[in-house]
Amino acid sequence: MSSLHIFIVYVFLTIVIADDKNNIYFTQSTYDIWCQENILSNSLLLYPNHIPIGIYHTSTIKFLEYQLNDDNDLFYVKTKRIADFYFFILNIIRPLDINREYQDIYIFHIQANIITKHGNYTEQAKIRLHVADSNDNDGVFNMDIYEKNFTEPIDISQPLIHFHATDADEIQHAQILYEFSSVSFNNTFSLHPYTGELYLLSKNNLQSMYEFDIYAYDRHRKYFMNNDIKAKAHVKLIFPAKKILRYVRTIFNEIIEFEQLISSYKIFFHQKSTWNLVNIHQPILTIDIFPQISSFEIFILNNSSLNSINLFFYQNQIYFKTFSFHQYNLHLLICFFNRTKCQYTNYYLTPSINLTSLQFYFKSIQPIFINENLPIHSYITHIQLQYNNIIPNQQLNIDYKLLNNHNQFYLHRKTGILYLAKSLKYQKYFLEIQADINFLTQYYSLKTNIEINVREINKYRPIFSNNTLIELFQLPYQFQAFDFDQNKETNGRITYHLWNCFDECSFEINPNNGILKLKTDQYFNKEKIYYVQIIAFDWGEPISLESRIDVRINLSKGLFKRDLETRWKDKSLSTINRTSFLTQFSKIETIYLNIGFKYHSISYQLSEDMEINTIIDHLPIEYDSFPLYINNEQDNVFFYLINDTSVPFTIDSNHKTLILINSLDREKQNQYNFEIELKLIPTYIIKLQEIYTSQNSNLSFDFQYSNKYYQKIFITIYINDINDNIPSCESLHQHIYLNENQIQTNIFHVQAFDPDQGENGTIIYSLLNYNTYFTINSSTGQLDCIHLFDREQISYFHLYIIASDQGQQLQLQSICMTIHITILDRNDNIPQFSLANYIYEISFDLPRETIFGQIYASDLDQSDKLFYSIDSNLYIKIDRYTGHLRLKTDLHHFINQSLNFTVKVSDGLHVNQTWIYISVKRFIEVQQPILIPEPTYSIVINQSLPAQTIIMNIYHRLKLPKASIDCIEIIHEENIIPFDIDQQGSIRLIHTITDLLNSSYWLPIRLTRYRAHPPHSFIHIHISIREENFYLPQCIDNYQYIKLYDFSIQYPFTSIQALSFYDNIHLEYTIIKNNINEKMFSVNKQTGFMQVLPLIENNYLTKSDYLLTIQVFDRQHQLSVDCYLNINLIQRYQLTPKFLYSSIYNIDLIKSASNYERLRQRLFQVIALLDHEVYDKNLEVRYRIIDPNQYFIINRQTGYIAIKQSLHDHRTYEFNVEAFTVAHDNDIEEDESDHDEQHSDRRKWRIVSSRVILPIKVRIQPINIINSSLLLPSSSPMNKSTTSIVLLTTTKVGSIILELGKNNTYTQWFIMISQIDHTRYFHVNFQSGELILIRPLHELINKTTMIELHINVTHNWVHMDTIKIYIHIMNDKHVLMHFSQADYYTSVSKNLPIGIEIAHLTIENPSDNCTYNIHSVERIKSKDFFHIDSYSGSITIIQSLENSLSEKHLLTIIYQCQYSTQLAFTRLHINILDKDKLKFQTNHFYRFTRDNYLVIFESTLMNNQKRSLINLELINNKNYKDRIKPDAQIIQGKIYTIILH
């Protein structure tokens, strides 16, 4: 081989070896494992991870062994291989050297020495061994002496001091209990046993100093390790020597005195979410106290805001006295327990409204037009802010502000009315208005804009310029005039007009530019001088003004230009005397104008609800011969001046209307008087001057008003009332007291007022509620109580008073007052407990004198003085005043038991009682970690195992009590596994594994104890599946029923037996389903003998019926079968008999000579019975007279009482009879008193029950009390001297089966005289004649089916009649549910299709919640072929029978109910037929229903008669329901006398 080849082979081998080594490694680099300190075992560890510890096996590994690398003498490691994994198992050499408090973790390294096919290798990993705690330390106080000085008063519920002790163990083992060293302080203090908090119980006789000791101890060590070591600390407490009284003053100047100021209560204020007029009768503030106190007092202190005096307090609620939105600074003192304790608090009460509902906005204002000559202080407009009605006006503060043009305008800050402040110019004004709104503590600002247009007044007339010529020598010529008005469209617009030149006028003037020119030459004469008048006028509003000049026109040709210029200059307007225009008037003429108001005065009636801006009236101007034309609708020549600007009225000068500008309220002002004066507008004065001056230019004119019309008018406005006020009371709330159960009159007077007039203000009173309890005088408001009140049914209530006015058009009413009525208490109620009874669960280890609860009672009466008491006992006591329950002694002797006591409470007059039930519980013990000896186990199962088969039980394997594990589960990946585990620790096959490819499975199982540290531990189970068909072991009796009496439980009381098909197979018996406690019953693993454990024999069991499942296990083949045992356990208390009669049995006897002849004969019988199901043939009730007497004797077996000697009349004999139950026992000596009985039973008996006693009184009456007619011989026999009845064996003991004296009207006595064997089953009532069954009849069914009873009947004790009663016994006892056959047989062909029904099982008396199941099979493989329907009992084929190697299959079928302990079993024999077996069948479509028929009968019952033994049928192989009767014959066997039809 070349070197290249060798190198390639070397490299390849190196790579293979390296790859193989890389596949061998620990599953983790670090393993966390737990052990526990102070235990004896060296192998018990906890594995907290589901990952297995060790290395997986590979095909190259030949050997693997683990070792520890670190030098230590505490640990060593072992190797365990299971399947494909090498586990390392850690062991502790000296486990007692492990101490957690010394070292809580050990770290060392483990090495795996691996031998493979390719060489030797090592792998290493780290182990961290954690040490779990065991409770091995005691508690220690953190201080030796606790001292505290209390300078302030102490609240009873306040902890005084907190003691603290610690334990070096982990927290789960460091639970400390605290207790007093002495009981002398228990009435004053309470020490919490768990927290160590010390409380003060009572302040009565509280001393200034206390010194005592307290103990602390580890509760687990004390009660689970019997450790009595306690830590001790000394306590010294110093309290204030005397009470300190405190004083405060309320806002009502009341002095409040209290003892102690506290701060321990939580005070909650609940304020009304919204204040409005709708809810003024509801509380605005509610005060709650936590912890809740039934009653307390609230005082408003004098440092509260002054307006707090207007609040009304009722109980824990605050109301308005009058509705207003104010803020209240409340300083409150809340007092408890008759003012012994008080607590300060304060609250700032602010009005609460829904701010989102507040809507403010300006009323829309259109642009305003006013004249520039408007007088100062004139009304312009009203600014109105609108808002919703939930806001009371008196609580809303609105300020209006004008933000600009302050010189021209004035805005009233409160009313919002805009006035003129200064004369205006012709222009537009834009005013900015702001409204500042102050509502409570909320501030709002709104802005708006107003457009005001000032109209110019025509106040200037046109004026010709100064250089205007008045004599013209040349044309054209332009005249120029000027107007100082600013509005050039109207007032300042000038137009020219040629006046006094009309017909055939030769001149014309341009109206716009004033150019005068010659129009035509036709009529013009140059030599003529013309005189014309030029007018310049404006287009002013509301009136036009003009100016005139007279012009001379001379156009003659003789004039020179120079002369002309001179003339122009000389004839100009500036040089000519202008007296015609600007005359200095020397005389004034008065002109009286016939214009003004028609009337001197006028009055109006206005409703107070008139809206603002409403027009009240038009004020037209009347005139006569006025020089100007006036349009009364449009023109306005006057200013209207109001002498009183404070009135809410103004005049619209433009429209001559009187307008309302502010709201009216008759209740504030009911009449307004003011005067309106007319003042002529200056423009019209100018116009009038112009007019009159044109007529006489030398005069000046003064304009006055004539007497025809009035310049002033006097206005009177009367405000009419409307019903706009709701009746109201001075106070919204009033508090009064009423006595309980007492009629009272004139308890209160309601006074309401309404400011409206007349009927609108007339008030009547009525009640809104409680009309059956109160009446109110509708006129005077007097309130009377007409009904009795029970304070416990209603202790306080709110009475609403309605005040209504008598408005005709609109009637208003309101709840004007809420009267808060408190019912004063009388002691007329029994105190009631808060619970019907009190149930406490307390730990058994509570120290004595521990307070564990409190009984609380309440009295519907107001008295809070209740007194508690408890039954006299040795364990519990109660505080007389507080109801605290305290232990007198520890209760460790009462674990899992109950103590019941009666507690009484009294209010000094009435007494009530309740019951307390105290369950003493074992406290929850801290769990130890789940330590297991090994981390892995291996098991083998057969492939043919059916689903739901239990493979193994983890608890049994690990020897762990299942009750100690809180949870167990399989932790696996997402791949599906055919196994599951239940909380009983059983691994179960959840579906068949015949078709699965895997031959083995790993199951990582996690066990959990929630109260352990750590809580989880893992174990790995390897399951190998084998493919075999084994025979299963079979129970001889699948189901056994045993009645077991606890007074004679023998060993064994029964046995479970099973058989195996194989030789030399050892079967093991185990109880696997004990539904109460696995340690209650036990089974011998080798013999199957059953026994009750000794611990259970000495204690009462909680149940009477037990259904046990006993598993029979073939360990060699790992196969098992379940056998069932139903145990009916009769406990000793059930054996105590009960007398048939009442507590005292009274007998009346008649003294007669015949009585003496019957000495020591049956006289009457006393009977005591057991429950029907308790009776057994070995149980009997025995009787004995326990009082020594010489008159009576009793038969101990039957209870018959006879007379020993004569009895005396008029005398009563009293004695007591006791009854008890005895049981037959061959090992017990003969009853020592039996030899006194003549016919005593010689069997051996022992007493097995308690004794019960019945007092008997026998009264002897003389014979003469009987009617003499009854002493004569009976002339006729009884109506029925012979009676026959039929009784079933299931008739219950104690049943009345016949009433003999039912229809008789006279006294009779009944005595049974039959033989004692029969009479021990029946009893006849001595006086009533009722015949009663006193023992079960099924005991007689094997002896006889008919009994004859003889009963003597007498009514005089002289003559006797005999009644014969024949009782026929009928057996109706049968199993409640059972299969119709014990064995079913069927034969089927191998070629039957899958799913076909081959058999149908029938159950007798089926029940609900019951199912059919295949309990067991003879061989495992049988379950693979057949299935039974759980509800119908139909057997079908689920796998082709061609694969069946067996010719016969045996199935055991079980019928089991969910809530019953009874089971029903049957066996199904299935014979598989092949073609050779069908040779006798001529029709291959049919077969016999069974392969073999077994008939068993008793020949003596035949009586030589033909009887049908069996019916043969053929069944269709394809249709189970198709059956036919065959034509059959006997072809083989001995026929004898059997005939086949």
Side-chain angles (χ1 to χ4, degrees), residues 273-291:
S273 60
T274 302
W275 296 3
N276 53 57
L277 293 172
V278 177
N279 59 17
I280 59 176
H281 290 273
Q282 298 177 6
I284 60 173
L285 186 67
T286 301
I287 301 174
D288 287 335
I289 306 296
F290 182 82

Side-chain angles (χ1 to χ4, degrees), residues 524-530 552-558:
F524 178 70
N525 185 356
K526 292 183 178 181
E527 301 299 328
K528 183 179 179 180
I529 296 176
Y530 293 89
R552 180 182 176 209
I553 303 174
N554 184 2
L555 299 180
S556 65
K557 298 180 179 180

Side-chain angles (χ1 to χ4, degrees), residues 349-360:
L349 180 61
T350 58
S352 177
I353 62 172
N354 186 0
L355 297 179
T356 60
S357 66
L358 296 179
Q359 297 178 357
F360 300 95

Side-chain angles (χ1 to χ4, degrees), residues 17-52:
I17 294 172
D19 289 342
D20 183 72
K21 181 182 183 301
N22 289 337
N23 289 331
I24 303 174
Y25 51 84
F26 280 96
T27 54
Q28 287 182 285
S29 60
T30 302
Y31 294 97
D32 288 287
I33 303 176
W34 288 73
C35 67
Q36 190 172 15
E37 63 175 341
N38 297 329
I39 61 172
L40 295 177
S41 174
N42 58 2
S43 62
L44 291 178
L45 299 174
L46 181 145
Y47 304 90
N49 201 316
H50 72 283
I51 300 175

Side-chain angles (χ1 to χ4, degrees), residues 674-703:
F674 56 92
E675 192 177 58
I676 300 175
E677 180 182 1
L678 295 177
K679 183 178 180 181
L680 194 63
I681 296 175
T683 300
Y684 287 94
I685 296 175
I686 296 173
K687 188 65 176 178
L688 289 175
Q689 288 281 1
E690 181 182 290
I691 294 173
Y692 284 100
T693 302
S694 65
Q695 297 176 2
N696 191 345
S697 60
N698 296 322
L699 297 177
S700 175
F701 302 94
D702 180 27
F703 299 101

Side-chain angles (χ1 to χ4, degrees), residues 1348-1538:
E1348 179 180 343
L1349 300 179
H1350 295 260
I1351 298 175
N1352 283 347
V1353 183
T1354 179
H1355 53 263
N1356 54 19
W1357 290 98
V1358 177
H1359 306 288
M1360 293 285 183
D1361 293 326
T1362 301
I1363 300 177
K1364 293 183 179 181
I1365 300 175
Y1366 295 96
I1367 299 176
H1368 300 272
I1369 302 174
M1370 181 178 295
N1371 186 10
D1372 66 333
K1373 188 173 182 180
H1374 55 273
V1375 181
L1376 292 179
M1377 59 181 186
H1378 60 89
F1379 283 95
S1380 56
Q1381 298 177 198
D1383 289 272
Y1384 290 82
Y1385 296 87
T1386 184
S1387 298
V1388 296
S1389 175
K1390 275 192 175 183
N1391 57 359
L1392 286 181
I1394 295 175
I1396 191 171
E1397 182 183 75
I1398 62 172
H1400 193 96
L1401 307 183
T1402 304
I1403 193 73
E1404 301 293 337
N1405 303 320
S1407 301
D1408 295 334
N1409 300 318
C1410 301
T1411 56
Y1412 296 89
N1413 290 286
I1414 298 178
H1415 168 257
S1416 62
V1417 294
E1418 187 179 30
R1419 287 179 288 187
I1420 298 176
K1421 205 64 176 177
S1422 300
K1423 281 195 174 182
D1424 298 336
F1425 292 106
F1426 307 102
H1427 169 73
I1428 186 169
D1429 187 271
S1430 299
Y1431 298 100
S1432 66
S1434 173
I1435 307 291
T1436 56
I1437 298 175
I1438 60 174
Q1439 188 181 134
S1440 175
L1441 297 179
E1442 296 288 349
N1443 301 325
S1444 175
L1445 302 177
S1446 304
E1447 295 183 354
K1448 294 184 179 181
H1449 294 270
L1450 176 61
L1451 310 181
T1452 302
I1453 310 300
I1454 185 176
Y1455 185 75
Q1456 188 173 13
C1457 301
Q1458 183 178 359
Y1459 303 109
S1460 174
T1461 58
Q1462 193 177 20
L1463 306 174
F1465 283 89
T1466 189
R1467 290 181 293 275
L1468 176 61
H1469 303 263
I1470 304 174
N1471 189 21
I1472 308 298
L1473 302 177
D1474 55 18
K1475 295 181 180 180
D1476 296 334
K1477 292 284 184 80
L1478 300 176
K1479 61 183 178 180
F1480 293 115
Q1481 298 185 9
T1482 58
N1483 189 339
H1484 296 284
F1485 293 102
Y1486 288 91
R1487 56 182 173 81
F1488 281 102
T1489 56
R1490 297 183 183 178
D1491 188 40
N1492 298 287
Y1493 293 88
L1494 176 64
V1495 179
I1496 301 175
F1497 61 92
E1498 188 177 350
S1499 60
T1500 57
L1501 298 178
M1502 303 299 285
N1503 293 330
N1504 296 322
Q1505 298 180 2
K1506 293 182 179 180
R1507 296 289 180 92
S1508 176
L1509 299 179
I1510 193 171
N1511 290 323
L1512 301 179
E1513 282 186 324
L1514 295 181
I1515 185 172
N1516 194 316
N1517 288 326
K1518 295 183 178 180
N1519 185 1
Y1520 175 73
K1521 296 181 179 180
D1522 184 10
R1523 297 170 180 252
I1524 61 175
K1525 296 291 183 181
D1527 182 12
Q1529 61 179 348
I1530 298 175
I1531 60 175
Q1532 187 177 357
K1534 296 182 180 181
I1535 298 178
Y1536 297 105
T1537 59
I1538 299 176

